[in-house]
Amino acid sequence: MRKGKIVINEDRCKGCFICISQCKVKEIEKSNKVNKYGQVVVEFKNLGKCNACTLCAISCPDAAIEVYEIIEEKV
Amino acid sequence: MKEKIIYKKPDSLTDINFSYCPGCGHSTVHKIIAEIVDELNLREKIIGVAPVGCAVFAYNFWNFDVSEAAHGRTPAVATAIKRVLPDRLVFSYQGDGDLASIGMAEIIHTANRGENITVIFINNTNYGMTGGQLAPTTLLSQKTTTSPYGRDAKNYGYPVKMLELLSPLEGVKYLERVKVTDAASVIKAKNAIKKGFTYQMQNIGFSMIEVLSSCPANWRKEPVEANKLIDEEIVKVFPLGKIKDIK
Ligand SMILES: Cc1ncc(C[n+]2csc(CCOP(=O)(O)OP(=O)(O)O)c2C)c(N)n1
Ligand code: SF4
């Protein structure tokens, strides 16, 4: 299975939590951090289940999520 | 291990944060317009016309040329820009108060003239910026600050379906209603807007894409709940899909 990770831009995240509702593998949760605008932000759990499907990023209104595919290099 | 970026903020958005409330549909639509501009390499070719309403600062967020118009008059300004600069891609971006209330005359005449522009119509069933007053698109029995007991048809008339209203006009070539409540619907909305832009580039004529958009702040709902309201209730009044496509 494809492996992935996301990076959340905490300055853009407004804590709408739409990404949490879209992630099929429950890799995103509400954090206890607040950004400089006073918004509670989300965080990536990094459970190894992210498959870089981009559903969270596509649905994020504020373009606050970057998605990466992790490619294992064969030796 | 290598990391390959597969999704990032489009270059056609500036680094200025959107001024919209958390979860607001305006943000999602701004983002997908910027993605299309990146994908079709339109940054030096496109000109947006921003409305009065919550999207009044759109020119701060899009990293391409954007003009501003008086309330409801973006189709008139877009008409002028397109006629003077016919090689540019011109779009009018409007809320439902802007388009269906104060700007009703401009939109109907622009559509009837068949101006070769694309209109992005954000229907959030109320006047967002000024505090959630009733709009022509407000649903029956929906409570707003100016219909505190709910909209009743006897006093306020019925929700205006703009696409169905414009559909018989001969100048109108493409009309589609979409929503942006989840990833799948965001992709569909993006395709519809892309089609509107493509038709304009092919000189086909007037097109309008209506986006059912949440206003969590004035609906007094959490963003995810607000989107659910669109999925479950608002689509019954404003059916999704193509209303007209001459191709
Ligand atoms: C000529 C004029 N009349 C009234 C107003 C006040 N006004 C500002 S925004 C707005 C309503 C905007 O609602 P809508 O178009 O639905 O956009 P939204 O804020 O919901 O995105 C009104 C009536 C104005 N700015 N100019
Ligand atoms: S008031 Fe409504 S339309 Fe305006 S930014 Fe907030 S959620 Fe969006």
Side-chain angles (χ1 to χ4, degrees), chain B residues 26 52-54 71 95-98 102 124 126-130:
Chain B
H26 273 300
V52 166
C54 287
H71 208 1
D96 46 356
D98 190 83
I102 193 167
N124 61 13
N126 70 175
Y127 287 16
M129 184 190 223
T130 43

Side-chain angles (χ1 to χ4, degrees), chain B residues 19-27 53-55 122 124 126-132 213-219:
Chain B
S19 49
Y20 307 111
C21 305
C24 174
H26 273 300
S27 305
C54 287
I122 306 297
N124 61 13
N126 70 175
Y127 287 16
M129 184 190 223
T130 43
S213 177
S214 71
C215 178
N218 287 305
W219 295 356

